[in-house]
Protein backbone atom coordinates (compact mmCIF):
# COMPACT_ATOMS: atom_id res chain seq x y z
CA UNK A 1 0.00 0.00 0.00
CA UNK A 2 2.89 2.34 -0.83
CA UNK A 3 0.91 4.62 -3.18
CA UNK A 4 3.65 5.54 -5.60
CA UNK A 5 6.79 3.48 -5.91
CA UNK A 6 9.77 4.53 -7.94
CA UNK A 7 12.58 2.19 -8.81
CA UNK A 8 15.46 2.19 -8.63
CA UNK A 9 16.08 4.84 -5.99
CA UNK A 10 19.65 5.33 -7.18
CA UNK A 11 21.22 4.56 -10.51
CA UNK A 12 24.59 5.16 -12.08
CA UNK A 13 24.88 4.59 -15.79
CA UNK A 14 27.31 5.35 -18.57
CA UNK A 15 26.88 7.84 -21.36
CA UNK A 16 25.11 6.29 -24.32
CA UNK A 17 23.38 3.51 -22.41
CA UNK A 18 19.65 3.06 -22.29
CA UNK A 19 18.11 3.25 -18.86
CA UNK A 20 14.53 2.93 -17.68
CA UNK A 21 13.11 4.43 -14.54
CA UNK A 22 10.01 2.76 -13.21
CA UNK A 23 6.96 4.28 -11.59
CA UNK A 24 4.11 2.25 -10.16
CA UNK A 25 0.96 3.49 -8.42
CA UNK A 26 -1.61 1.56 -6.45
CA UNK A 27 -4.46 4.09 -6.63
CA UNK A 28 -5.55 3.90 -10.30
CA UNK A 29 -5.18 7.67 -10.64
CA UNK A 30 -5.76 8.84 -14.20
CA UNK A 31 -2.86 11.24 -14.51
CA UNK A 32 0.79 10.41 -14.11
CA UNK A 33 3.76 12.73 -14.52
CA UNK A 34 7.52 12.67 -14.74
CA UNK A 35 9.51 15.62 -13.46
CA UNK A 36 13.21 16.20 -13.23
CA UNK A 37 14.76 18.29 -10.48
CA UNK A 38 17.87 20.34 -11.15
CA UNK A 39 19.52 23.00 -9.06
CA UNK A 40 18.06 26.40 -9.79
CA UNK A 41 15.29 25.03 -11.99
CA UNK A 42 13.04 23.47 -9.44
CA UNK A 43 11.06 20.61 -10.93
CA UNK A 44 10.36 20.60 -14.65
CA UNK A 45 7.83 18.44 -16.39
CA UNK A 46 9.20 15.88 -18.83
CA UNK A 47 6.11 13.93 -19.89
CA UNK A 48 2.66 13.27 -18.58
CA UNK A 49 -0.12 10.81 -19.24
CA UNK A 50 -3.86 11.34 -18.92
CA UNK A 51 -4.72 7.63 -19.11
CA UNK A 52 -3.41 4.35 -20.44
CA UNK A 53 -2.04 4.77 -23.98
CA UNK A 54 -2.32 8.59 -23.77
CA UNK A 55 0.89 10.52 -23.26
CA UNK A 56 2.04 14.04 -23.99
CA UNK A 57 5.18 16.12 -23.82
CA UNK A 58 5.97 18.49 -21.04
CA UNK A 59 8.54 21.26 -20.85
CA UNK A 60 11.73 19.19 -21.33
CA UNK A 61 10.91 15.97 -23.26
CA UNK A 62 13.98 15.69 -25.49
CA UNK A 63 15.97 12.51 -24.93
CA UNK A 64 13.17 10.75 -23.09
CA UNK A 65 10.52 8.23 -24.05
CA UNK A 66 7.49 7.16 -22.04
CA UNK A 67 4.80 4.57 -22.35
CA UNK A 68 1.70 3.69 -20.42
CA UNK A 69 0.26 0.35 -21.40
CA UNK A 70 -1.32 -0.08 -17.96
CA UNK A 71 -2.90 2.57 -15.75
CA UNK A 72 -0.65 1.75 -12.83
CA UNK A 73 2.73 1.94 -14.58
CA UNK A 74 4.49 4.85 -16.26
CA UNK A 75 8.09 4.02 -17.14
CA UNK A 76 10.52 6.70 -18.30
CA UNK A 77 13.28 5.64 -20.68
CA UNK A 78 16.43 7.51 -21.52
CA UNK A 79 17.27 6.03 -24.89
CA UNK A 80 20.90 7.14 -24.93
CA UNK A 81 21.83 8.71 -21.63
CA UNK A 82 23.82 11.94 -21.57
CA UNK A 83 25.55 13.68 -18.68
CA UNK A 84 23.01 16.49 -18.87
CA UNK A 85 20.39 13.97 -17.84
CA UNK A 86 22.04 13.53 -14.46
CA UNK A 87 19.24 14.61 -12.17
CA UNK A 88 16.69 13.55 -9.62
CA UNK A 89 13.55 12.23 -11.25
CA UNK A 90 10.15 12.37 -9.60
CA UNK A 91 7.04 10.53 -10.63
CA UNK A 92 3.70 11.97 -9.59
CA UNK A 93 0.03 11.13 -9.93
CA UNK A 94 -3.21 13.04 -9.87
CA UNK A 95 -6.68 11.60 -9.48
CA UNK A 96 -8.24 13.14 -12.59
CA UNK A 97 -9.39 16.26 -14.38
CA UNK A 98 -10.35 18.93 -11.92
CA UNK A 99 -8.30 17.38 -9.16
CA UNK A 100 -5.52 19.62 -7.93
CA UNK A 101 -3.71 17.47 -5.44
CA UNK A 102 -0.58 15.76 -6.71
CA UNK A 103 1.15 12.82 -5.05
CA UNK A 104 4.88 12.37 -5.50
CA UNK A 105 7.11 9.35 -5.39
CA UNK A 106 10.34 9.25 -3.42
CA UNK A 107 12.46 10.17 -6.42
CA UNK A 108 15.20 8.43 -8.38
CA UNK A 109 18.68 9.89 -8.32
CA UNK A 110 20.30 9.19 -11.70
CA UNK A 111 23.94 9.84 -12.40
CA UNK A 112 25.28 9.56 -15.93
CA UNK A 113 29.05 9.22 -16.09
CA UNK B 1 2.42 30.15 -20.12
CA UNK B 2 2.61 30.35 -16.39
CA UNK B 3 5.73 31.03 -14.38
CA UNK B 4 6.75 30.87 -10.73
CA UNK B 5 9.72 32.78 -9.38
CA UNK B 6 11.45 32.24 -6.07
CA UNK B 7 14.09 34.93 -6.07
CA UNK B 8 15.78 33.74 -2.89
CA UNK B 9 17.92 30.75 -3.77
CA UNK B 10 19.33 30.32 -0.29
CA UNK B 11 18.50 31.75 3.13
CA UNK B 12 20.39 31.18 6.34
CA UNK B 13 18.93 32.06 9.74
CA UNK B 14 19.63 31.28 13.34
CA UNK B 15 17.19 29.16 15.25
CA UNK B 16 14.16 31.05 16.63
CA UNK B 17 14.36 33.75 13.99
CA UNK B 18 11.35 34.37 11.77
CA UNK B 19 11.90 33.88 8.06
CA UNK B 20 9.80 34.64 4.98
CA UNK B 21 10.16 32.80 1.71
CA UNK B 22 8.99 34.77 -1.29
CA UNK B 23 7.01 33.44 -4.24
CA UNK B 24 5.84 35.46 -7.22
CA UNK B 25 3.77 33.91 -9.98
CA UNK B 26 2.57 34.81 -13.45
CA UNK B 27 -0.52 33.54 -15.18
CA UNK B 28 -3.24 34.95 -17.38
CA UNK B 29 -5.82 32.56 -16.03
CA UNK B 30 -8.20 33.62 -13.31
CA UNK B 31 -8.64 30.14 -11.89
CA UNK B 32 -5.52 28.59 -10.46
CA UNK B 33 -4.08 26.93 -7.40
CA UNK B 34 -0.90 27.72 -5.55
CA UNK B 35 1.10 25.28 -3.49
CA UNK B 36 4.06 25.07 -1.19
CA UNK B 37 6.11 21.91 -0.87
CA UNK B 38 8.96 21.11 1.50
CA UNK B 39 11.86 18.91 0.48
CA UNK B 40 13.88 17.85 3.51
CA UNK B 41 17.40 16.42 3.17
CA UNK B 42 15.90 12.95 2.75
CA UNK B 43 14.64 14.08 -0.64
CA UNK B 44 10.91 13.47 -0.67
CA UNK B 45 8.43 16.21 -1.46
CA UNK B 46 6.10 17.06 1.39
CA UNK B 47 2.88 18.91 0.63
CA UNK B 48 2.37 21.94 2.90
CA UNK B 49 -0.53 23.96 1.57
CA UNK B 50 -2.84 24.54 -1.38
CA UNK B 51 -4.67 27.81 -1.99
CA UNK B 52 -7.10 28.59 -4.80
CA UNK B 53 -7.19 31.91 -6.61
CA UNK B 54 -10.55 32.87 -5.17
CA UNK B 55 -9.47 32.57 -1.58
CA UNK B 56 -7.17 35.36 -0.48
CA UNK B 57 -7.50 34.64 3.20
CA UNK B 58 -4.18 34.23 4.89
CA UNK B 59 -3.65 30.91 6.57
CA UNK B 60 -1.82 29.95 9.72
CA UNK B 61 -0.83 26.44 10.71
CA UNK B 62 1.24 26.33 13.85
CA UNK B 63 4.49 28.14 13.14
CA UNK B 64 3.71 28.35 9.42
CA UNK B 65 1.71 31.10 7.78
CA UNK B 66 0.98 32.03 4.21
CA UNK B 67 0.20 35.44 2.73
CA UNK B 68 -1.61 35.33 -0.62
CA UNK B 69 -1.93 38.67 -2.42
CA UNK B 70 -3.41 38.65 -5.90
CA UNK B 71 -2.66 42.34 -6.35
CA UNK B 72 1.06 41.59 -6.32
CA UNK B 73 0.80 37.98 -7.59
CA UNK B 74 2.59 36.75 -4.52
CA UNK B 75 2.16 33.80 -2.21
CA UNK B 76 4.73 34.19 0.56
CA UNK B 77 5.48 31.69 3.27
CA UNK B 78 6.59 32.66 6.77
CA UNK B 79 8.06 30.39 9.40
CA UNK B 80 7.88 31.84 12.88
CA UNK B 81 10.50 30.89 15.46
CA UNK B 82 12.39 28.71 13.03
CA UNK B 83 13.84 25.40 14.11
CA UNK B 84 16.70 23.29 12.81
CA UNK B 85 14.14 20.77 11.51
CA UNK B 86 12.84 23.46 9.17
CA UNK B 87 16.06 23.22 7.18
CA UNK B 88 14.99 22.11 3.72
CA UNK B 89 14.37 23.26 0.20
CA UNK B 90 10.96 24.85 -0.22
CA UNK B 91 9.14 24.98 -3.52
CA UNK B 92 6.27 27.18 -4.56
CA UNK B 93 4.14 25.83 -7.42
CA UNK B 94 1.17 26.79 -9.55
CA UNK B 95 -1.42 24.78 -11.43
CA UNK B 96 -4.20 25.93 -13.70
CA UNK B 97 -7.36 24.04 -12.90
CA UNK B 98 -8.39 23.59 -16.50
CA UNK B 99 -5.07 23.03 -18.24
CA UNK B 100 -4.25 19.73 -19.86
CA UNK B 101 -3.04 17.38 -17.20
CA UNK B 102 -3.25 20.02 -14.51
CA UNK B 103 0.48 19.82 -14.24
CA UNK B 104 2.36 21.82 -11.65
CA UNK B 105 4.73 24.61 -12.58
CA UNK B 106 7.42 24.94 -9.93
CA UNK B 107 9.63 27.78 -8.85
CA UNK B 108 13.35 27.18 -8.58
CA UNK B 109 13.18 26.53 -4.87
CA UNK B 110 14.63 28.26 -1.80
CA UNK B 111 17.11 26.41 0.36
CA UNK B 112 16.56 27.34 4.00
CA UNK B 113 19.29 26.61 6.49
CA UNK B 114 18.45 27.05 10.13
CA UNK B 115 21.50 27.06 12.35
CA UNK B 116 21.36 26.19 16.04
Amino acid sequence: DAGITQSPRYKITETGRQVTLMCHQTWSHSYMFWYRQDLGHGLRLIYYSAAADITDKGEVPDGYVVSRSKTENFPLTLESATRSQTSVYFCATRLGTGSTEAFFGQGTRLTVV
Amino acid sequence: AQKVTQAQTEISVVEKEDVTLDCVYETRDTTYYLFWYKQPPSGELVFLIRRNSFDEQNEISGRYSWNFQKSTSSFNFTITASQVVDSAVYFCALTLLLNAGNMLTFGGGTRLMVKP
Side-chain angles (χ1 to χ4, degrees):
Chain A
D1 59 350
I4 301 177
T5 304
Q6 290 186 235
S7 61
R9 291 292 311 280
Y10 303 91
K11 176 75 176 179
I12 300 175
T13 192
E14 294 179 342
T15 300
R17 288 193 180 266
Q18 182 181 84
V19 60
T20 296
L21 310 183
M22 303 301 294
C23 178
H24 174 79
Q25 58 143 331
T26 59
W27 296 311
S28 298
H29 285 176
S30 296
Y31 285 91
M32 296 188 75
F33 307 84
W34 275 108
Y35 290 88
R36 61 176 288 174
Q37 180 184 2
D38 304 291
L39 193 64
H41 292 282
L43 280 77
R44 291 178 294 175
L45 184 68
I46 305 171
Y47 269 95
Y48 70 97
S49 169
D53 298 321
I54 301 175
T55 62
D56 210 344
K57 296 178 181 179
E59 181 184 354
V60 288
D62 293 343
Y64 303 96
V65 174
V66 294
S67 62
R68 195 166 175 206
S69 57
K70 293 183 178 181
T71 300
E72 60 266 31
N73 297 322
F74 191 39
L76 176 73
T77 298
L78 287 67
E79 294 189 300
S80 178
T82 65
R83 289 183 181 173
S84 65
Q85 293 177 308
T86 293
S87 186
V88 178
Y89 291 84
F90 284 96
C91 179
T93 71
R94 176 165 276 150
L95 177 58
T97 303
S99 171
T100 59
E101 188 168 1
F103 302 86
F104 285 86
Q106 295 282 75
T108 295
R109 182 175 294 277
L110 175 68
T111 302
V112 183
V113 298
Chain B
Q2 57 271 22
K3 183 179 178 181
V4 177
T5 302
Q6 295 178 254
Q8 306 149 307
T9 55
E10 207 167 283
I11 300 175
S12 181
V13 299
V14 176
E15 206 170 21
K16 297 184 183 177
E17 286 185 6
D18 298 347
V19 58
T20 295
L21 310 183
D22 297 333
C23 173
V24 174
Y25 63 92
E26 298 174 29
T27 178
R28 292 181 179 177
D29 281 57
T30 57
T31 305
Y32 51 89
Y33 285 76
L34 295 161
F35 301 77
W36 276 96
Y37 286 87
K38 174 182 180 180
Q39 186 178 44
S42 52
E44 74 273 21
L45 285 164
V46 178
F47 167 81
L48 295 178
I49 190 172
R50 173 181 56 218
R51 172 67 73 220
N52 76 56
S53 53
F54 298 108
D55 182 2
E56 285 193 74
Q57 266 194 325
N58 291 331
E59 179 152 342
I60 298 174
S61 176
R63 296 184 296 107
Y64 294 172
S65 62
W66 291 269
N67 183 351
F68 176 29
Q69 292 197 341
K70 287 178 75 171
S71 60
T72 56
S73 297
S74 64
F75 186 43
N76 297 336
F77 173 31
T78 297
I79 301 174
T80 303
S82 60
Q83 299 176 2
V84 173
V85 294
D86 296 326
S87 297
V89 180
Y90 292 86
F91 291 100
C92 182
L94 167 76
T95 189
L96 306 180
L97 184 61
L98 298 177
N99 76 349
N102 296 347
M103 71 281 288
L104 288 161
T105 298
F106 285 84
T110 297
R111 180 178 298 278
L112 174 65
M113 293 176 289
V114 182
K115 299 177 181 178

